[in-house]
Amino acid sequence: MRLSRYFLPVLKETPSEAQIVSHRYMLRAGMIKQASAGIYSWLPLGFKVLRKIEDIVHQEQARAGHIAMLMPTLQSADLWRESGRYDDYGAEMLRMSDRHGRDMLYGPTNEELITDIFRSHVGSYKDLPLTLYHVQWKFRDEIRPRFGVMRGREFLMKDGYNFDLTKEDALHAYNRHLVSYLRTYERMGLQAIPMRADSGPIGGDDTHEFLVLAETGESEVFYDSQITDLKFGDREIDFDSHEQCQAVLEEFTSRYARTDETHDETLFNQIPEERRRTARGIEVGQIFYFGTKYSEPMGATVQDSDGNKVPVHMGSHGIGVSRLLGAIIEASHDDKGIIWPEGVTPFHAGIVNLKQGDAEADAACEALYASLTALGLEPLYDDRNERAGGKFATMDLIGLPWRITVGPRGLKNGVVELTSRRTGESEELAPEQAVERIAAIYKKVLPGS
Amino acid sequence: MRLSRYFLPVLKETPSEAQIVSHRYMLRAGMIKQASAGIYSWLPLGFKVLRKIEDIVHQEQARAGHIAMLMPTLQSADLWRESGRYDDYGAEMLRMSDRHGRDMLYGPTNEELITDIFRSHVGSYKDLPLTLYHVQWKFRDEIRPRFGVMRGREFLMKDGYNFDLTKEDALHAYNRHLVSYLRTYERMGLQAIPMRADSGPIGGDDTHEFLVLAETGESEVFYDSQITDLKFGDREIDFDSHEQCQAVLEEFTSRYARTDETHDETLFNQIPEERRRTARGIEVGQIFYFGTKYSEPMGATVQDSDGNKVPVHMGSHGIGVSRLLGAIIEASHDDKGIIWPEGVTPFHAGIVNLKQGDAEADAACEALYASLTALGLEPLYDDRNERAGGKFATMDLIGLPWRITVGPRGLKNGVVELTSRRTGESEELAPEQAVERIAAIYKKVLPGS
């Protein structure tokens, strides 16, 4: 993309309404614009990152064998009356009536709707196990929406639902989701720690939240410092294997890690003192096993191998897709702006032309642009007639991990400058070497490689 | 995908509520399930096609130089009061109040919101031309939703908005959209004819609708038969060239083609009688030029090169993404089921194992599955323990364009059977040849090739 043809409305001043760094930078980098309280338009740069995060979620769900579908945003109130949650949900649920006076609501979650789909179409244990998920906009009418996309009212969430014949199978689905989520977050450059949590209005006994450590997190968290040394990495795993998934669960959850909701001071104090940590965390996902809580009242049963009708065992599993943009920025930024991890960066590299209009510099930039594009990478070329200082400030603010700077002086020596946004280190090298270097870096993070 | 692990709830019986063939087949093929009147869940097979159509729209928008973003589904009523449309829009607009009593609505279209974004961020003619678009769920509270996704209430639409300094530039944007839409629909296997239309509540003088001819279309259309001979094909076009885009517009709109809303009997009768056609059509898109209708009341101005503040010239341009699934099926089916065009098919080929459990047949199917997958294609392998007749009926119903049938008898002679869903013709050939044939077919339709 050429910046002269893009829509990147960066702000020089810090908007006064933004209290946390991710909100400030998302506004300043022209990623979002508030449409009304807690509701945002995703400007082109923000939308690109949102889409990358969504793509990673889809790819990792497919890897785990989960099936993508899409439920609508609006639901009939009747289903929620059946489960008993229509009255329970309170003022956070946005309710409305259609032109015929039928009660409807903007879905805050989808247990009822998916259970209805299941009971309408599945009747036999032979069709299990089954995990269906979607990535869809939800609405929760927060009384005080704030922190930008971190606590918005209209937000994008991945929610998945497993249907299993037995509790054992359902707990495998739970473990499989935990493994899949570890991979998912790591691909986004995040360390998200599974912590024992409280189930809230979803219900159920087994639940873990995934928390990203960040000073601005809304939860206080308590953990054994050994946990931050764990990496899932690129290990191969058979998602059908109960043993392999169980082993990962044990590895990642056997050490103490809890939010303030479930914190147990006595257990915490059993950790050697030098490993006890208190910090703040941002919740980016949660998994639940809740057994037959919805399948029993809603009649979601299957015939087992003996011909008996039994309610299925279920769980639900969520990733806060739009909130992740905020979480990633909270975890990865400096005082100049955002620092995108390679896995989610909106553009793979920036090209800064120090002397727009100089024939040689223009040609070198065009050649870099063409080479990167031919490799399947997306460069952002700042081809505006602006001063170098302004171009650098924009690139630093929007946080592309790699920048190639092209100027007449370097070109005389046959070199351009390759700069890492994270370390700030620069290196002079031939243009084709810069392209090779960037290609090699992304070969590790792009899907299918 | 292996069918034994997929969620494909095909129905044997025709649902009584479905009056048109696309609705019947989408229900029977397990693509959608009604959640409430005019609101659908997209089951896995339906979601896959929806995503493919959305991807084609994104790719062709990018090709035309339009910039993707995303506006929220819910909007504040205030903006619509500013444009004067809040009261005009009537009962089709779904209105609600949030917990603080603020008036909100589920966006039926986005002229107000995009104009607000534009006026907040753009101030100079140097930032023009600019076309922003998104693909987002809309809601229109149809009094009698029917025909499945063809006339639903919650529907997915691409809507784009151009901002230009002059009327001439804005008309170029109009032409550019027309060209881009011709390419978009052809990639989906559709012939969509641009017809002079009525602007309705959007406003403006220049507008064309794109109609797909189909017996079940809601509009009566009148056209010169020469128009159906026109093909955009894979011609190269410079979307920046006013002349090239204008030439395409003239080529595709100079012959008579109108809906009943704008039909002119006198003009129609000037066509030689043997070329006059009356038919029915399904609207799948519309483009508008409406000048300063929104920019003037909402203050969306830029400074021109003389320093004068002038309101920008705008247009809006829509593609009915979810409705397209219905339109494609109406245009492409037979009495056994859907016939997907290669550009949007949910899976590229079906593999039918005639004797599941036979070691040789199973191995041959697995090898085909692996080869197709390695080529970047997605096969659907019917690995269920079912009779051949049932497997064929399912494949015909869900309409994959190519089917490979594998059985012990053919394998003895070293062959499998490759069948075209469209022609019904079959050919025996070696498994690797079947794979090559399918790869060659898709090489022409897949992006980037």
Side-chain angles (χ1 to χ4, degrees), chain A residues 1-8 380-384 394:
Chain A
M1 179 60 66
R2 288 168 168 79
L3 200 39
S4 64
R5 309 193 75 160
Y6 201 49
F7 181 58
L8 184 73
L380 180 68
Y381 170 23
D382 191 344
D383 60 343
R384 297 169 307 161
T394 296

Side-chain angles (χ1 to χ4, degrees), chain B residues 139-191:
Chain B
F139 196 90
R140 290 183 195 161
D141 204 354
E142 298 271 354
I143 194 159
R144 256 184 304 279
R146 59 200 163 134
F147 303 151
V149 301
M150 297 275 282
R151 190 170 284 278
R153 297 197 294 168
E154 184 170 329
F155 59 98
L156 188 61
M157 191 171 120
K158 173 258 163 181
D159 44 323
Y161 305 86
N162 67 285
F163 302 90
D164 287 279
L165 183 62
T166 64
K167 178 171 181 179
E168 196 216 320
D169 286 351
L171 289 177
H172 169 60
Y174 183 90
N175 299 348
R176 195 176 62 230
H177 278 88
L178 183 131
V179 176
S180 166
Y181 280 22
L182 289 171
R183 259 195 80 99
T184 302
Y185 295 122
E186 282 192 14
R187 281 190 60 189
M188 299 173 189
L190 285 177
Q191 179 169 45

